[in-house]
Amino acid sequence: MKADESGEILINIFEIENQVYIVIEDNGVGIDLTQLNNYKKERVGLNIVEKRIELFNAKNNLQVDYKVSNINPNHPARKGTRVEVKIFEKSNHPKKN
């Protein structure tokens, strides 16, 4: 997306079975997921968010998980970034196999 183009941000907040979901989408160019995974040291803003989430989780009986992805990397007309945040009680944490 060029600087002179207007963008959109969509924010949805909902609750399912005592878990709060926040989904944020934009219609920008998306992100390079290989860079996101390979250059963790250079992701200063995201590192700060991760540290705050760790502190929040340690001090509360809540757990916050998040995921960053491209909205549809295989469809050139549907670009953008999607951030999914899930907040739930630690006792309701889904078990991983």
Side-chain angles (χ1 to χ4, degrees):
M1 177 178 289
K2 296 179 183 176
D4 60 344
E5 294 180 23
S6 62
E8 294 179 357
I9 295 178
L10 176 65
I11 301 172
N12 286 305
I13 303 171
F14 52 96
E15 181 181 354
I16 299 174
E17 297 179 4
N18 296 323
Q19 297 182 27
V20 176
Y21 294 84
I22 303 167
V23 179
I24 305 162
E25 294 182 345
D26 70 31
N27 65 341
V29 296
I31 55 173
D32 183 343
L33 294 176
T34 57
Q35 279 190 324
L36 184 66
N37 294 327
N38 292 334
Y39 300 105
K40 285 191 171 190
K41 292 178 184 175
E42 296 178 18
R43 302 178 310 149
V44 176
L46 199 48
N47 285 336
I48 291 170
V49 170
E50 288 174 348
K51 293 293 181 194
R52 288 183 178 172
I53 289 172
E54 287 175 17
L55 287 170
F56 179 87
N57 289 344
K59 292 184 177 258
N60 296 285
N61 190 36
L62 296 173
Q63 179 75 30
V64 176
D65 289 339
Y66 77 96
K67 177 177 142 184
V68 179
S69 61
N70 284 312
I71 291 175
N72 192 345
N74 299 321
H75 194 283
R78 180 82 169 104
K79 292 185 178 182
T81 303
R82 178 182 177 103
V83 178
E84 299 173 47
V85 180
K86 182 168 65 169
I87 305 169
F88 50 93
E89 289 184 40
K90 289 181 182 177
S91 60
N92 291 334
H93 190 281
K95 297 187 180 189
K96 295 179 182 178
N97 294 330

Coordinates of all heavy atoms in Angstrom, one line a residue:
M1 N 0.8 -1.2 0.0 CA 0.0 0.0 0.0 C 0.9 1.2 0.0 O 1.8 1.3 0.8 CB -0.9 0.0 1.2 CG -1.8 1.2 1.3 SD -2.9 1.2 2.7 CE -4.0 -0.1 2.2
K2 N 0.6 2.2 -0.9 CA 1.4 3.4 -1.0 C 0.9 4.3 0.1 O -0.2 4.3 0.6 CB 1.2 4.0 -2.3 CG 1.8 3.2 -3.4 CD 1.6 3.8 -4.8 CE 2.1 2.9 -5.9 NZ 1.8 3.5 -7.2
A3 N 1.8 5.3 0.5 CA 1.4 6.2 1.6 C 0.2 7.1 1.3 O -0.5 7.5 2.2 CB 2.7 7.1 1.8
D4 N -0.1 7.3 0.0 CA -1.2 8.2 -0.4 C -2.5 7.4 -0.5 O -3.6 8.0 -0.7 CB -0.9 8.9 -1.6 CG -0.7 8.0 -2.8 OD1 -0.4 6.8 -2.6 OD2 -0.7 8.5 -4.0
E5 N -2.5 6.1 -0.3 CA -3.7 5.3 -0.4 C -4.3 5.2 1.0 O -3.6 5.1 2.0 CB -3.4 3.9 -0.9 CG -2.9 3.8 -2.3 CD -2.6 2.4 -2.8 OE1 -3.2 1.5 -2.2 OE2 -1.9 2.3 -3.7
S6 N -5.6 5.2 1.1 CA -6.3 5.0 2.4 C -6.4 3.5 2.7 O -6.6 2.7 1.9 CB -7.6 5.7 2.4 OG -8.5 5.1 1.5
G7 N -6.2 3.2 4.0 CA -6.3 1.9 4.4 C -7.5 1.7 5.4 O -8.1 2.7 5.8
E8 N -7.8 0.4 5.7 CA -8.9 0.1 6.6 C -8.3 -0.8 7.6 O -7.5 -1.7 7.4 CB -10.0 -0.5 5.8 CG -10.7 0.4 4.8 CD -11.8 -0.4 4.1 OE1 -12.0 -1.6 4.3 OE2 -12.5 0.3 3.3
I9 N -8.9 -0.7 8.8 CA -8.6 -1.6 9.9 C -9.9 -2.1 10.4 O -10.8 -1.3 10.7 CB -7.8 -0.9 11.0 CG1 -6.4 -0.5 10.6 CG2 -7.7 -1.9 12.2 CD1 -5.6 0.2 11.6
L10 N -10.1 -3.4 10.6 CA -11.3 -4.0 11.1 C -10.9 -4.7 12.4 O -10.0 -5.5 12.5 CB -11.8 -5.1 10.1 CG -13.0 -5.9 10.5 CD1 -14.2 -5.0 10.7 CD2 -13.3 -7.0 9.5
I11 N -11.7 -4.4 13.5 CA -11.4 -4.9 14.8 C -12.7 -5.6 15.3 O -13.8 -5.0 15.3 CB -11.0 -3.8 15.8 CG1 -9.8 -3.1 15.4 CG2 -10.8 -4.5 17.2 CD1 -9.4 -1.9 16.2
N12 N -12.6 -6.9 15.6 CA -13.7 -7.7 16.1 C -13.3 -8.2 17.5 O -12.2 -8.7 17.6 CB -14.0 -8.9 15.2 CG -14.7 -8.5 13.9 OD1 -15.8 -7.8 14.0 ND2 -14.2 -8.8 12.8
I13 N -14.3 -8.1 18.4 CA -14.1 -8.6 19.8 C -15.3 -9.4 20.1 O -16.4 -9.0 19.9 CB -13.9 -7.4 20.8 CG1 -12.7 -6.5 20.4 CG2 -13.7 -8.0 22.2 CD1 -12.6 -5.3 21.2
F14 N -15.1 -10.7 20.5 CA -16.2 -11.5 20.8 C -15.8 -12.5 21.9 O -14.6 -12.7 22.2 CB -16.7 -12.2 19.6 CG -15.7 -13.0 18.8 CD1 -15.5 -14.3 18.9 CD2 -15.0 -12.3 17.8 CE1 -14.6 -15.0 18.2 CE2 -14.0 -13.0 17.0 CZ -13.8 -14.3 17.2
E15 N -16.8 -13.2 22.5 CA -16.5 -14.2 23.5 C -17.2 -15.5 23.2 O -18.3 -15.5 22.7 CB -17.1 -13.7 24.9 CG -16.8 -14.6 26.0 CD -17.4 -14.1 27.3 OE1 -17.9 -13.0 27.4 OE2 -17.4 -14.9 28.3
I16 N -16.4 -16.5 23.3 CA -16.9 -17.9 23.1 C -16.4 -18.8 24.3 O -15.2 -18.8 24.5 CB -16.4 -18.5 21.8 CG1 -16.8 -17.7 20.6 CG2 -16.9 -19.9 21.6 CD1 -16.3 -18.1 19.3
E17 N -17.4 -19.3 25.0 CA -17.1 -20.2 26.1 C -16.0 -19.7 27.1 O -15.0 -20.3 27.3 CB -16.6 -21.6 25.6 CG -17.7 -22.3 24.8 CD -17.2 -23.6 24.2 OE1 -16.1 -24.1 24.5 OE2 -18.0 -24.2 23.5
N18 N -16.3 -18.5 27.6 CA -15.4 -17.8 28.5 C -14.0 -17.5 28.0 O -13.1 -17.3 28.8 CB -15.3 -18.6 29.8 CG -16.6 -18.7 30.5 OD1 -17.4 -17.8 30.5 ND2 -16.9 -19.9 31.1
Q19 N -13.9 -17.4 26.7 CA -12.6 -17.0 26.1 C -12.9 -15.7 25.3 O -13.8 -15.7 24.5 CB -12.0 -18.1 25.3 CG -11.7 -19.3 26.1 CD -11.0 -20.4 25.2 OE1 -10.4 -20.1 24.2 NE2 -11.1 -21.6 25.6
V20 N -12.1 -14.7 25.5 CA -12.3 -13.5 24.7 C -11.3 -13.5 23.5 O -10.1 -13.8 23.6 CB -12.0 -12.2 25.6 CG1 -12.0 -10.9 24.7 CG2 -12.9 -12.2 26.7
Y21 N -11.9 -13.2 22.3 CA -11.1 -13.2 21.1 C -11.1 -11.7 20.6 O -12.1 -11.1 20.5 CB -11.7 -14.1 20.0 CG -11.6 -15.5 20.4 CD1 -12.6 -16.1 21.2 CD2 -10.6 -16.3 19.9 CE1 -12.5 -17.5 21.5 CE2 -10.5 -17.7 20.3 CZ -11.5 -18.2 21.1 OH -11.4 -19.6 21.4
I22 N -9.9 -11.3 20.1 CA -9.8 -10.0 19.5 C -9.1 -10.3 18.2 O -8.0 -10.9 18.1 CB -8.9 -9.0 20.3 CG1 -9.5 -8.9 21.7 CG2 -8.8 -7.7 19.6 CD1 -8.6 -8.2 22.7
V23 N -9.8 -9.9 17.1 CA -9.2 -10.1 15.7 C -9.1 -8.8 15.1 O -10.0 -8.0 14.9 CB -10.1 -11.1 14.9 CG1 -9.5 -11.3 13.5 CG2 -10.3 -12.4 15.6
I24 N -7.8 -8.5 14.7 CA -7.5 -7.2 14.0 C -7.0 -7.5 12.6 O -6.1 -8.3 12.5 CB -6.5 -6.4 14.8 CG1 -7.0 -6.2 16.3 CG2 -6.2 -5.0 14.2 CD1 -5.9 -5.9 17.2
E25 N -7.7 -6.9 11.6 CA -7.2 -7.1 10.2 C -7.0 -5.7 9.6 O -7.8 -4.8 9.8 CB -8.3 -7.8 9.4 CG -8.4 -9.3 9.9 CD -9.5 -10.0 9.0 OE1 -10.2 -9.4 8.3 OE2 -9.5 -11.2 9.2
D26 N -6.0 -5.6 8.7 CA -5.9 -4.4 7.9 C -5.8 -4.8 6.4 O -5.6 -6.0 6.1 CB -4.7 -3.6 8.3 CG -3.4 -4.2 8.0 OD1 -3.2 -4.9 7.0 OD2 -2.4 -3.9 8.8
N27 N -5.9 -3.9 5.5 CA -5.9 -4.2 4.1 C -4.6 -3.7 3.5 O -4.5 -3.4 2.3 CB -7.1 -3.6 3.4 CG -7.1 -2.1 3.4 OD1 -6.5 -1.5 4.2 ND2 -7.9 -1.5 2.5
G28 N -3.5 -3.7 4.3 CA -2.2 -3.3 3.8 C -1.6 -4.4 2.9 O -2.2 -5.3 2.5
V29 N -0.3 -4.3 2.7 CA 0.5 -5.2 1.9 C 0.7 -6.5 2.5 O 1.2 -7.5 1.9 CB 1.8 -4.6 1.4 CG1 1.5 -3.4 0.5 CG2 2.7 -4.2 2.5
G30 N 0.5 -6.6 3.8 CA 0.8 -7.9 4.5 C 2.2 -7.8 5.1 O 2.8 -6.8 5.0
I31 N 2.6 -8.9 5.6 CA 4.0 -9.0 6.2 C 4.7 -10.2 5.6 O 4.1 -11.1 5.1 CB 3.9 -9.1 7.7 CG1 3.1 -10.4 8.1 CG2 3.4 -7.9 8.3 CD1 3.1 -10.7 9.6
D32 N 6.0 -10.1 5.6 CA 6.9 -11.2 5.1 C 7.1 -12.1 6.3 O 7.8 -11.8 7.2 CB 8.2 -10.7 4.6 CG 9.1 -11.7 4.1 OD1 8.9 -12.9 4.3 OD2 10.1 -11.4 3.3
L33 N 6.4 -13.2 6.4 CA 6.4 -14.1 7.5 C 7.8 -14.7 7.7 O 8.1 -15.0 8.9 CB 5.4 -15.2 7.4 CG 3.9 -14.8 7.4 CD1 3.0 -15.9 7.1 CD2 3.6 -14.1 8.7
T34 N 8.6 -14.9 6.7 CA 9.9 -15.4 6.9 C 10.8 -14.4 7.6 O 11.6 -14.7 8.5 CB 10.6 -15.7 5.5 OG1 10.7 -14.6 4.7 CG2 9.9 -16.9 4.8
Q35 N 10.6 -13.1 7.4 CA 11.3 -12.1 8.1 C 10.8 -12.0 9.6 O 11.6 -11.9 10.5 CB 11.1 -10.7 7.5 CG 12.0 -10.4 6.3 CD 11.9 -9.0 5.9 OE1 10.8 -8.4 6.0 NE2 13.0 -8.4 5.5
L36 N 9.5 -12.2 9.7 CA 8.9 -12.1 11.1 C 9.5 -13.3 11.9 O 9.8 -13.1 13.1 CB 7.4 -12.3 11.0 CG 6.7 -12.2 12.3 CD1 6.8 -10.8 12.9 CD2 5.2 -12.6 12.1
N37 N 9.7 -14.4 11.4 CA 10.2 -15.6 12.1 C 11.8 -15.5 12.2 O 12.3 -16.0 13.2 CB 9.8 -16.9 11.5 CG 8.3 -17.1 11.6 OD1 7.7 -16.6 12.5 ND2 7.7 -17.7 10.6
N38 N 12.5 -15.0 11.2 CA 13.9 -15.1 11.2 C 14.6 -13.9 11.9 O 15.8 -14.1 12.3 CB 14.4 -15.2 9.8 CG 14.1 -16.5 9.1 OD1 13.9 -17.5 9.8 ND2 14.0 -16.5 7.8
Y39 N 14.0 -12.8 12.0 CA 14.6 -11.6 12.6 C 14.0 -11.2 13.9 O 13.7 -10.0 14.0 CB 14.6 -10.5 11.5 CG 15.3 -10.8 10.2 CD1 14.6 -11.1 9.1 CD2 16.7 -10.9 10.2 CE1 15.2 -11.5 7.9 CE2 17.3 -11.3 9.0 CZ 16.6 -11.5 7.9 OH 17.2 -11.9 6.7
K40 N 13.9 -12.1 14.8 CA 13.2 -11.8 16.1 C 14.0 -10.6 16.8 O 13.3 -9.8 17.5 CB 13.2 -13.0 17.0 CG 12.1 -14.0 16.5 CD 11.9 -15.0 17.6 CE 10.7 -15.8 17.2 NZ 10.3 -16.7 18.2
K41 N 15.3 -10.6 16.7 CA 16.0 -9.5 17.4 C 15.7 -8.1 16.9 O 15.8 -7.2 17.6 CB 17.5 -9.8 17.2 CG 18.0 -11.0 18.0 CD 19.5 -11.2 17.8 CE 19.9 -12.6 18.4 NZ 21.2 -12.9 18.2
E42 N 15.3 -8.0 15.6 CA 15.0 -6.7 15.0 C 13.6 -6.3 15.2 O 13.2 -5.2 14.9 CB 15.3 -6.8 13.5 CG 16.8 -7.0 13.3 CD 17.1 -7.1 11.8 OE1 16.3 -6.6 11.0 OE2 18.2 -7.6 11.5
R43 N 12.7 -7.1 15.7 CA 11.3 -6.8 15.9 C 11.1 -6.2 17.3 O 10.5 -6.7 18.2 CB 10.5 -8.1 15.8 CG 10.6 -8.9 14.6 CD 9.7 -10.1 14.6 NE 10.0 -10.9 15.8 CZ 9.1 -11.6 16.4 NH1 7.9 -11.8 15.9 NH2 9.4 -12.3 17.5
V44 N 11.6 -5.0 17.5 CA 11.6 -4.3 18.7 C 10.2 -4.2 19.3 O 9.9 -4.5 20.4 CB 12.3 -3.0 18.7 CG1 12.2 -2.2 20.0 CG2 13.8 -3.1 18.2
G45 N 9.3 -3.6 18.5 CA 7.9 -3.4 18.9 C 7.2 -4.7 19.3 O 6.6 -4.8 20.4
L46 N 7.4 -5.7 18.5 CA 6.7 -7.0 18.8 C 7.4 -7.7 20.0 O 6.7 -8.3 20.9 CB 6.8 -8.0 17.6 CG 5.8 -9.1 17.6 CD1 4.4 -8.7 17.9 CD2 5.9 -9.8 16.2
N47 N 8.7 -7.5 20.2 CA 9.4 -8.0 21.4 C 8.9 -7.4 22.7 O 8.7 -8.1 23.7 CB 10.9 -7.9 21.3 CG 11.5 -8.8 20.3 OD1 11.0 -9.9 20.0 ND2 12.7 -8.5 19.8
I48 N 8.6 -6.1 22.6 CA 8.1 -5.4 23.8 C 6.7 -5.9 24.1 O 6.4 -6.2 25.3 CB 8.0 -3.9 23.5 CG1 9.4 -3.3 23.5 CG2 7.2 -3.2 24.6 CD1 9.5 -1.9 23.0
V49 N 5.8 -6.1 23.1 CA 4.5 -6.7 23.3 C 4.6 -8.1 23.9 O 3.9 -8.4 24.9 CB 3.7 -6.8 22.0 CG1 2.4 -7.6 22.1 CG2 3.4 -5.3 21.5
E50 N 5.5 -8.9 23.4 CA 5.7 -10.3 23.9 C 6.1 -10.3 25.4 O 5.6 -11.0 26.2 CB 6.7 -11.1 23.1 CG 6.2 -11.5 21.7 CD 7.3 -12.1 20.8 OE1 8.5 -12.0 21.2 OE2 6.9 -12.6 19.8
K51 N 7.0 -9.4 25.8 CA 7.4 -9.3 27.2 C 6.3 -8.8 28.1 O 6.1 -9.3 29.2 CB 8.6 -8.3 27.3 CG 9.9 -8.7 26.7 CD 10.4 -10.0 27.4 CE 11.7 -10.4 26.8 NZ 12.1 -11.7 27.2
R52 N 5.5 -7.9 27.6 CA 4.3 -7.4 28.4 C 3.3 -8.6 28.6 O 2.7 -8.7 29.6 CB 3.7 -6.2 27.7 CG 4.5 -5.0 27.9 CD 3.8 -3.8 27.3 NE 4.6 -2.6 27.5 CZ 4.4 -1.4 27.0 NH1 3.3 -1.3 26.2 NH2 5.2 -0.4 27.3
I53 N 3.1 -9.4 27.5 CA 2.2 -10.5 27.6 C 2.7 -11.5 28.6 O 2.0 -12.0 29.5 CB 2.0 -11.2 26.2 CG1 1.1 -10.2 25.4 CG2 1.3 -12.5 26.4 CD1 1.0 -10.7 23.9
E54 N 4.0 -11.8 28.6 CA 4.6 -12.7 29.6 C 4.4 -12.2 31.0 O 4.1 -13.0 31.9 CB 6.1 -12.8 29.3 CG 6.5 -13.7 28.1 CD 8.0 -13.7 27.8 OE1 8.8 -13.3 28.7 OE2 8.3 -14.0 26.7
L55 N 4.6 -10.9 31.2 CA 4.4 -10.3 32.6 C 3.0 -10.4 33.0 O 2.6 -10.8 34.1 CB 4.9 -8.8 32.6 CG 6.4 -8.6 32.6 CD1 6.7 -7.1 32.4 CD2 7.0 -9.1 33.9
F56 N 2.1 -10.1 32.0 CA 0.6 -10.2 32.3 C 0.2 -11.6 32.7 O -0.4 -11.8 33.7 CB -0.2 -9.7 31.1 CG -1.7 -9.8 31.3 CD1 -2.3 -8.7 31.9 CD2 -2.4 -10.9 30.9 CE1 -3.7 -8.8 32.0 CE2 -3.7 -11.0 31.1 CZ -4.4 -9.9 31.6
N57 N 0.7 -12.6 31.9 CA 0.4 -14.0 32.2 C 0.9 -14.4 33.6 O 0.3 -15.2 34.3 CB 0.9 -14.9 31.1 CG 0.2 -14.7 29.8 OD1 -0.9 -14.2 29.7 ND2 0.8 -15.2 28.7
A58 N 2.1 -13.9 33.9 CA 2.7 -14.3 35.2 C 2.0 -13.8 36.4 O 1.9 -14.4 37.5 CB 4.2 -13.9 35.2
K59 N 1.4 -12.6 36.3 CA 0.8 -11.9 37.4 C -0.7 -12.1 37.5 O -1.3 -11.8 38.5 CB 1.0 -10.4 37.3 CG 2.5 -10.0 37.5 CD 2.6 -8.5 37.5 CE 4.1 -8.2 37.7 NZ 4.3 -7.7 39.1
N60 N -1.3 -12.8 36.5 CA -2.8 -12.9 36.5 C -3.2 -14.4 36.3 O -2.4 -15.2 35.9 CB -3.4 -12.1 35.4 CG -3.2 -10.6 35.6 OD1 -3.9 -10.0 36.4 ND2 -2.3 -10.1 34.8
N61 N -4.4 -14.7 36.7 CA -4.9 -16.1 36.4 C -5.5 -16.1 35.0 O -6.4 -16.9 34.7 CB -6.0 -16.5 37.4 CG -6.3 -17.9 37.3 OD1 -5.5 -18.8 37.0 ND2 -7.6 -18.3 37.5
L62 N -4.9 -15.3 34.1 CA -5.4 -15.3 32.7 C -4.2 -15.6 31.8 O -3.0 -15.4 32.2 CB -5.9 -13.9 32.3 CG -7.1 -13.4 33.1 CD1 -7.5 -12.0 32.7 CD2 -8.3 -14.3 32.7
Q63 N -4.5 -16.1 30.6 CA -3.5 -16.4 29.6 C -3.8 -15.6 28.4 O -4.9 -15.6 28.0 CB -3.5 -17.9 29.3 CG -2.5 -18.3 28.3 CD -1.0 -18.4 28.8 OE1 -0.8 -18.6 30.0 NE2 -0.1 -18.1 28.0
V64 N -2.8 -15.0 27.8 CA -3.0 -14.3 26.5 C -2.1 -15.0 25.5 O -0.9 -15.1 25.7 CB -2.6 -12.8 26.7 CG1 -2.7 -12.1 25.3 CG2 -3.4 -12.1 27.7
D65 N -2.7 -15.4 24.4 CA -2.0 -15.9 23.3 C -2.3 -15.1 22.1 O -3.3 -14.5 22.0 CB -2.4 -17.4 23.0 CG -2.0 -18.4 24.0 OD1 -1.1 -18.1 24.8 OD2 -2.6 -19.4 24.1
Y66 N -1.3 -15.0 21.1 CA -1.6 -14.2 19.9 C -0.9 -14.9 18.7 O 0.0 -15.7 18.9 CB -1.1 -12.8 20.1 CG 0.4 -12.6 19.9 CD1 1.0 -12.2 18.7 CD2 1.2 -12.8 21.0 CE1 2.3 -12.1 18.6 CE2 2.6 -12.7 20.9 CZ 3.1 -12.3 19.7 OH 4.5 -12.2 19.6
K67 N -1.4 -14.5 17.6 CA -0.9 -15.1 16.3 C -0.9 -14.0 15.3 O -1.9 -13.3 15.1 CB -1.7 -16.3 15.9 CG -1.3 -16.9 14.5 CD -2.2 -18.1 14.3 CE -2.5 -18.2 12.8 NZ -3.5 -19.3 12.5
V68 N 0.2 -13.8 14.5 CA 0.2 -12.8 13.4 C 0.3 -13.6 12.1 O 1.2 -14.5 12.0 CB 1.4 -11.9 13.6 CG1 1.5 -10.8 12.5 CG2 1.4 -11.1 14.9
S69 N -0.5 -13.2 11.1 CA -0.5 -13.9 9.9 C -0.9 -12.9 8.7 O -1.5 -11.9 9.0 CB -1.4 -15.1 9.9 OG -2.7 -14.8 10.1
N70 N -0.7 -13.4 7.5 CA -1.3 -12.7 6.4 C -2.7 -13.1 6.2 O -3.0 -14.3 6.5 CB -0.5 -13.0 5.1 CG 0.8 -12.2 5.1 OD1 0.9 -11.0 5.4 ND2 1.9 -12.9 4.8
I71 N -3.6 -12.2 5.8 CA -5.0 -12.6 5.6 C -5.2 -13.7 4.6 O -5.8 -14.7 4.9 CB -5.8 -11.3 5.3 CG1 -5.9 -10.4 6.5 CG2 -7.2 -11.7 4.8 CD1 -6.5 -9.1 6.2
N72 N -4.6 -13.5 3.4 CA -4.7 -14.6 2.4 C -3.5 -14.5 1.5 O -3.6 -13.8 0.5 CB -6.0 -14.4 1.6 CG -6.3 -15.6 0.8 OD1 -5.4 -16.5 0.5 ND2 -7.5 -15.8 0.3
P73 N -2.4 -15.1 1.9 CA -1.2 -15.0 1.1 C -1.3 -15.6 -0.3 O -0.5 -15.2 -1.2 CB -0.1 -15.8 1.9 CG -0.9 -16.7 2.7 CD -2.3 -16.1 3.0
N74 N -2.2 -16.4 -0.6 CA -2.4 -17.0 -2.0 C -3.3 -16.2 -2.9 O -3.6 -16.7 -4.0 CB -2.8 -18.4 -1.8 CG -1.8 -19.3 -1.1 OD1 -0.6 -19.1 -1.2 ND2 -2.3 -20.1 -0.2
H75 N -3.9 -15.1 -2.4 CA -4.9 -14.4 -3.2 C -4.4 -12.9 -3.3 O -4.5 -12.2 -2.3 CB -6.3 -14.5 -2.5 CG -7.4 -14.0 -3.4 ND1 -7.6 -12.7 -3.7 CD2 -8.3 -14.7 -4.1 CE1 -8.6 -12.6 -4.5 NE2 -9.1 -13.8 -4.8
P76 N -3.9 -12.5 -4.4 CA -3.3 -11.2 -4.5 C -4.3 -10.0 -4.3 O -3.9 -9.0 -3.8 CB -2.7 -11.1 -5.9 CG -3.2 -12.3 -6.6 CD -3.7 -13.3 -5.6
A77 N -5.5 -10.3 -4.5 CA -6.5 -9.2 -4.3 C -6.9 -9.0 -2.9 O -7.5 -8.0 -2.5 CB -7.7 -9.4 -5.2
R78 N -6.6 -10.0 -2.0 CA -7.0 -10.0 -0.6 C -5.8 -9.9 0.2 O -5.3 -11.0 0.8 CB -7.9 -11.2 -0.3 CG -8.4 -11.3 1.1 CD -9.6 -10.4 1.3 NE -10.2 -10.7 2.6 CZ -10.1 -9.9 3.7 NH1 -9.4 -8.8 3.6 NH2 -10.6 -10.3 4.8
K79 N -5.1 -8.8 0.3 CA -3.9 -8.7 1.1 C -4.2 -8.0 2.4 O -5.2 -7.4 2.7 CB -2.9 -7.8 0.3 CG -2.4 -8.5 -0.9 CD -1.3 -7.7 -1.5 CE -0.8 -8.4 -2.8 NZ 0.3 -7.6 -3.4
G80 N -3.2 -8.1 3.3 CA -3.3 -7.5 4.6 C -2.8 -8.4 5.7 O -2.4 -9.5 5.5
T81 N -2.8 -7.8 6.9 CA -2.3 -8.6 8.1 C -3.4 -8.8 9.0 O -4.3 -8.0 9.2 CB -1.2 -7.7 8.8 OG1 -0.2 -7.4 7.8 CG2 -0.6 -8.4 9.9
R82 N -3.4 -10.0 9.7 CA -4.4 -10.4 10.7 C -3.6 -10.7 12.0 O -2.7 -11.5 12.0 CB -5.1 -11.6 10.2 CG -6.1 -12.2 11.1 CD -6.8 -13.5 10.5 NE -7.7 -14.1 11.4 CZ -9.0 -14.0 11.3 NH1 -9.6 -13.3 10.3 NH2 -9.8 -14.6 12.2
V83 N -4.1 -10.1 13.1 CA -3.6 -10.4 14.4 C -4.8 -11.0 15.2 O -5.8 -10.4 15.3 CB -3.0 -9.2 15.1 CG1 -2.6 -9.5 16.5 CG2 -1.9 -8.5 14.3
E84 N -4.6 -12.2 15.7 CA -5.6 -12.8 16.6 C -5.1 -12.9 18.0 O -4.0 -13.4 18.2 CB -5.8 -14.3 16.1 CG -6.3 -14.3 14.6 CD -6.4 -15.7 14.1 OE1 -7.0 -16.6 14.9 OE2 -5.9 -16.0 13.0
V85 N -5.9 -12.4 18.9 CA -5.5 -12.4 20.4 C -6.6 -13.2 21.1 O -7.8 -13.0 20.8 CB -5.4 -11.0 20.9 CG1 -5.1 -11.0 22.4 CG2 -4.5 -10.1 20.2
K86 N -6.2 -14.1 21.9 CA -7.1 -14.9 22.7 C -6.7 -14.8 24.2 O -5.6 -14.9 24.6 CB -7.0 -16.4 22.3 CG -8.0 -17.3 23.1 CD -8.1 -18.7 22.5 CE -6.9 -19.5 22.6 NZ -7.0 -20.9 22.3
I87 N -7.8 -14.4 25.0 CA -7.6 -14.2 26.4 C -8.5 -15.2 27.2 O -9.7 -15.3 26.9 CB -7.9 -12.8 26.9 CG1 -7.1 -11.8 26.0 CG2 -7.7 -12.6 28.4 CD1 -7.6 -10.4 26.2
F88 N -7.9 -16.0 28.1 CA -8.7 -17.0 28.8 C -8.1 -17.3 30.1 O -6.9 -17.0 30.4 CB -8.8 -18.3 28.0 CG -7.5 -18.8 27.5 CD1 -6.8 -19.7 28.2 CD2 -7.0 -18.3 26.3 CE1 -5.6 -20.2 27.7 CE2 -5.8 -18.8 25.8 CZ -5.1 -19.7 26.5
E89 N -8.9 -17.9 31.0 CA -8.3 -18.3 32.3 C -7.4 -19.4 32.1 O -7.6 -20.3 31.3 CB -9.5 -18.8 33.2 CG -10.4 -17.6 33.7 CD -11.4 -18.1 34.7 OE1 -11.1 -19.0 35.5 OE2 -12.6 -17.6 34.6
K90 N -6.3 -19.4 32.9 CA -5.3 -20.5 32.8 C -5.9 -21.9 33.0 O -5.5 -22.8 32.3 CB -4.2 -20.3 33.8 CG -3.3 -19.1 33.4 CD -2.2 -18.9 34.4 CE -1.4 -17.7 34.0 NZ -0.3 -17.4 34.9
S91 N -6.9 -22.0 33.8 CA -7.5 -23.3 34.0 C -8.3 -23.8 32.8 O -8.6 -24.9 32.7 CB -8.5 -23.2 35.2 OG -9.5 -22.3 35.0
N92 N -8.7 -22.8 31.9 CA -9.4 -23.2 30.7 C -8.5 -23.3 29.5 O -8.9 -23.4 28.3 CB -10.4 -22.1 30.3 CG -11.6 -22.2 31.3 OD1 -11.8 -23.2 32.0 ND2 -12.2 -21.0 31.5
H93 N -7.2 -23.3 29.7 CA -6.2 -23.4 28.6 C -6.3 -24.7 27.9 O -6.3 -25.8 28.5 CB -4.8 -23.3 29.2 CG -3.8 -23.1 28.1 ND1 -3.3 -24.1 27.3 CD2 -3.1 -22.0 27.6 CE1 -2.4 -23.6 26.5 NE2 -2.3 -22.3 26.6
P94 N -6.5 -24.6 26.5 CA -6.6 -25.8 25.7 C -5.3 -26.6 25.8 O -4.2 -26.1 25.7 CB -6.8 -25.4 24.3 CG -6.6 -23.9 24.3 CD -6.6 -23.4 25.7
K95 N -5.4 -27.9 26.0 CA -4.2 -28.8 26.1 C -3.6 -29.0 24.8 O -4.3 -29.3 23.8 CB -4.5 -30.0 26.9 CG -5.0 -29.8 28.3 CD -5.1 -31.0 29.1 CE -5.6 -30.6 30.4 NZ -5.7 -31.5 31.4
K96 N -2.2 -28.9 24.7 CA -1.5 -29.2 23.5 C -1.0 -30.6 23.5 O -0.5 -31.1 24.6 CB -0.4 -28.2 23.3 CG -0.9 -26.8 23.1 CD 0.3 -25.9 22.9 CE -0.2 -24.5 22.7 NZ 0.9 -23.5 22.6
N97 N -1.1 -31.4 22.4 CA -0.6 -32.7 22.4 C 0.9 -32.7 22.0 O 1.4 -32.0 21.3 CB -1.3 -33.5 21.3 CG -2.8 -33.7 21.8 OD1 -3.1 -33.8 22.9 ND2 -3.7 -33.8 20.8

